[in-house]
Amino acid sequence: MTGVDEGETIIEARGLKRTYKARKTLVEAVRGVDLTVRKGEIVGFLGPNGAGKTTTLKMLTTLLEPTGGSAVVAGSDLRQDPVGVRRKIGYVSQAGSTSPEARVGEEIVSHARLYGIEPSVSKQRAQDLLAALDLPDIWERSCGSLSGGQRRRLDIVMGLIHQPVLVFLDEPSTGLDPQSRANLWTHIRKLRDDLGTTVFLTTHYMDEADSLADRILIIDQGQIVAEGTPAELKKRVSGDTLTLTLRTEADATRTGDIAAQAAGADTPIVDANVVRFHVPDGASALPHVLSDLVKAGIEAIGVEVNRPTLDDVFLTLTGRSLRD
Ligand SMILES: Nc1ncnc2c1ncn2[C@@H]1O[C@H](COP(=O)(O)OP(=O)(O)OP(=O)(O)O)[C@@H](O)[C@H]1O
């Protein structure tokens, strides 16, 4: 794999597979995933709904047994020493782990006991972590009284109380408003910068992966389809994206044929009444395309020129949008 030869490896997975049996049919949720993560990295595991992110995460955190392949996580073999893996990692699930009625302090201290940590130690650690995640003065509050963003950060405190070297976050910002998401990203970055914690997070938000991750793995239909820094991935898509919105689907189909004739254009993707395609230089291609549309008697009701995003990377690789 590219870009993963520096530093100490903390996750090494080879050929990881998971098949589910669902009503007599087999669902190949994860179909041979290889991945390498180095200590201290923030790695974003990006993919559309149903791509296999949570299944991979559950295997790497020992919650689900692989049906094939192997992995070493935080120095322990996933199959031979799952307890060793569990002791050294933190896992913050999508659902979170706090009950609404419990008081914050009691919840953290009793969670820490599961790891054999004495209350005198966990109280101090909890105070430090709460301060680091900007959650002062909530010790006596009930978990249910916290805002969504505060509760996600409390979930992270719980996931870090046993001082794991590696923490897995499953869709950490789902359900949060834009300001709380940005705030959470700042805290996640700080965790890595201040404590050196390796962070492996799943997301289907490309902006989250783009702004937070040092490196991104893109998974689709149970397989890794691309890997690299956000900048490296975007370099794979050359040129700009032109998006034209038409009045009708029929106009969009005809526009697709016209757009395909633009200099250097790739094959346009027609999605209902929207046509999207890449050209080497959007600003110079656009007037020609619009003039060809006018000649054909088609009116574009919306026009956008965009620099490459991670969604374009995904589109280039799979012919589909991440948002699908
Ligand atoms: N317990 C299960 N039984 C049968 N099929 C399952 C089960 N869990 C997941 N799947 C299927 O496996 C595939 C991968 O699911 P997974 O939850 O890993 O995807 P995901 O990328 O995490 O999606 P999301 O972003 O929606 O959480 C999907 O097709 C899903 O329907």
Side-chain angles (χ1 to χ4, degrees):
M1 296 180 103
T2 55
V4 287
D5 46 1
E6 293 162 31
E8 207 177 318
T9 298
I10 197 157
I11 305 177
E12 180 96 56
R14 291 290 167 259
L16 264 196
K17 280 189 192 163
R18 174 71 202 198
T19 305
Y20 293 108
K21 282 198 191 100
R23 297 187 182 187
K24 291 186 192 159
T25 55
L26 290 180
V27 180
E28 285 187 280
V30 175
R31 302 186 291 154
V33 158
D34 294 341
L35 57 88
T36 305
V37 174
R38 293 187 301 267
K39 246 185 193 165
E41 275 192 302
I42 299 179
V43 171
F45 198 42
L46 180 71
N49 287 328
K53 301 181 296 293
T54 301
T55 302
T56 305
L57 203 70
K58 283 191 172 162
M59 289 193 279
L60 293 174
T61 53
T62 79
L63 295 171
L64 192 65
E65 212 175 314
T67 44
S70 61
V72 176
V73 178
S76 298
D77 187 281
L78 206 59
R79 290 170 186 275
Q80 285 158 19
D81 186 14
V83 176
V85 173
R86 238 169 278 157
R87 222 178 269 138
K88 282 173 276 177
I89 64 164
Y91 171 58
V92 180
S93 73
Q94 277 182 43
S97 52
T98 54
S99 49
E101 316 76 40
R103 304 222 169 261
V104 169
E106 287 163 15
E107 191 77 332
I108 302 175
V109 169
S110 65
H111 178 74
R113 269 187 201 279
L114 298 175
Y115 290 94
I117 303 166
E118 290 297 324
S120 57
V121 176
S122 60
K123 275 182 191 160
Q124 186 54 53
R125 273 191 204 167
Q127 295 291 7
D128 293 347
L129 282 168
L130 289 170
L133 282 147
D134 198 18
L135 291 169
D137 310 323
I138 63 162
W139 195 262
E140 293 298 335
R141 296 260 302 269
S142 66
C143 299
S145 73
L146 303 177
S147 72
Q150 287 174 322
R151 199 144 172 200
R152 284 314 275 158
R153 279 179 278 143
L154 174 59
D155 289 333
I156 294 176
V157 169
M158 307 268 281
L160 292 175
I161 198 69
H162 57 297
Q163 299 184 322
V165 288
L166 164 66
V167 66
F168 292 88
L169 308 176
D170 197 3
E171 311 236 341
S173 72
T174 295
L176 298 185
D177 60 73
Q179 202 186 336
S180 308
R181 296 177 71 210
N183 180 279
L184 183 69
W185 298 344
T186 307
H187 287 299
I188 293 173
R189 252 183 244 116
K190 202 163 162 282
L191 274 182
R192 189 274 305 276
D193 295 346
D194 294 354
L195 305 176
T197 312
T198 308
V199 180
F200 188 94
L201 66 103
T202 69
T203 182
H204 57 253
Y205 296 123
M206 46 196 165
D207 58 341
E208 181 156 270
D210 201 357
S211 81
L212 191 51
D214 302 317
R215 206 152 56 82
I216 294 173
L217 307 172
I218 302 184
I219 184 168
D220 184 41
Q221 298 179 349
Q223 286 182 311
I224 295 196
V225 293
E227 193 227 306
T229 63
E232 279 167 358
L233 288 173
K234 283 186 232 166
K235 260 195 225 147
R236 293 173 67 160
V237 185
S238 56
D240 301 330
T241 310
L242 288 186
T243 307
L244 303 174
T245 306
L246 294 309
R247 288 207 183 278
T248 63
E249 295 191 14
D251 277 358
T253 307
R254 291 173 62 212
T255 300
D257 295 338
I258 292 169
Q261 308 303 316
D266 67 353
T267 306
I269 309 268
V270 181
D271 184 6
N273 65 329
V274 175
V275 178
R276 206 179 296 143
F277 60 106
H278 290 106
V279 284
D281 178 15
S284 65
L286 188 60
H288 295 290
V289 174
L290 290 180
S291 130
D292 289 348
L293 288 185
V294 170
K295 277 184 213 151
I298 301 171
E299 189 193 357
I301 55 172
V303 176
E304 267 180 55
V305 181
N306 289 309
R307 299 293 305 143
T309 64
L310 290 174
D311 193 39
D312 298 318
V313 176
F314 189 76
L315 191 66
T316 304
L317 290 166
T318 67
R320 288 179 292 113
S321 168
L322 253 179
R323 287 175 284 245
D324 288 351

